[in-house]
């Protein structure tokens, strides 16, 4: 599970009547409080609500782009996220549809499984060929594994 915030993409155009959340899907599991990314009316205010409570505010830049996240952490469980986009000069306000996300803060148990039949001992160290290493994730609380990130470093 990623320890960084998940990004949710918001599509918003100045002539739209609603904010549209395109990712993640409704009822999706996320690993932490999300950062909402999108575009709205240039120079306008964005407000994020979690379960009907104001959780964060931001402003769009001159091209309408914004990033917004909750000012305090969002606890585990099902949460309803909504956004408003208000143009302070005209008073025009756009609203998103409610998005139900399940916040899962329990990381999976990850283990590496080595297939030694695909490995060789060369110059005092093991060299693993394609398919020799598998990553297995187990979900300790049964809520679903949302994502695993790993990096391979070569010396």
């Amino acid at each position: 599970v990623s320890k960084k915030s998940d990004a949710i993409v918001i599509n918003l155009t100045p002539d739209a009547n609603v904010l549209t959340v395109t990712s993640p899907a409704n009822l999706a599991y996320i690993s932490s409080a999300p950062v909402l990314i999108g575009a709205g009316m240039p120079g306008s205010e964005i407000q994020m609500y979690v379960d009907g409570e104001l959780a964060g505010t931001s402003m769009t830049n001159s091209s309408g782009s914004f990033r917004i996240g909750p000012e305090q952490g969002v606890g585990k469980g099902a949460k309803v996220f909504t956004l408003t986009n208000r143009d302070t000069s005209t008073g025009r306000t756009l609203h998103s549809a409610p998005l139900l996300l399940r916040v899962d803060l329990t990381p999976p148990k990850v283990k590496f499984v080595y297939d030694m039949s695909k490995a060789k001992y060369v110059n005092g160290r093991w060299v693993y060929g394609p398919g020799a290493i598998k990553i297995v994730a187990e979900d300790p609380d049964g809520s679903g594994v949302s994502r695993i990130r790993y990096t391979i470093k070569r010396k």
Side-chain angles (χ1 to χ4, degrees):
V1 171
S2 170
K3 291 190 178 192
K4 293 183 179 179
S5 295
D6 297 308
I8 297 175
V9 179
I10 308 292
N11 284 338
L12 171 65
T13 56
D15 59 342
N17 291 319
V18 294
L19 296 168
T20 304
V21 179
T22 58
S23 174
N26 199 37
L27 301 176
Y29 282 98
I30 57 174
S31 59
S32 61
V35 173
L36 308 176
I37 301 169
M41 296 179 283
S44 60
E45 181 181 59
I46 299 289
Q47 293 182 325
M48 181 176 69
Y49 294 86
V50 178
D51 292 338
E53 298 289 325
L54 182 62
T57 60
S58 185
M59 295 293 290
T60 61
N61 64 19
S62 61
S63 65
S65 297
F66 68 86
R67 291 179 64 90
I68 187 171
E71 293 172 6
Q72 297 186 6
V74 175
K76 184 176 180 175
K79 306 289 180 187
V80 177
F81 290 81
T82 54
L83 290 178
T84 62
N85 181 205
R86 184 171 172 270
D87 185 336
T88 54
S89 64
T90 65
R92 182 171 182 214
T93 302
L94 303 176
H95 302 275
S96 72
L99 177 67
L100 179 63
L101 299 175
R102 294 175 283 195
V103 180
D104 180 12
L105 303 176
T106 305
K109 293 181 181 180
V110 178
K111 63 182 176 181
F112 293 86
V113 178
Y114 300 91
D115 181 350
M116 296 308 286
S117 69
K118 297 179 182 177
K120 297 179 197 173
Y121 196 72
V122 179
N123 296 329
R125 59 184 239 176
W126 285 100
V127 177
Y128 299 95
I133 302 172
K134 294 181 182 171
I135 300 171
V136 178
E138 297 173 355
D139 183 17
D141 66 356
S143 63
V145 176
S146 60
R147 176 175 48 203
I148 298 172
R149 289 186 184 174
Y150 64 94
T151 304
I152 297 174
K153 293 183 180 180
R154 299 192 186 264
K155 292 183 180 183

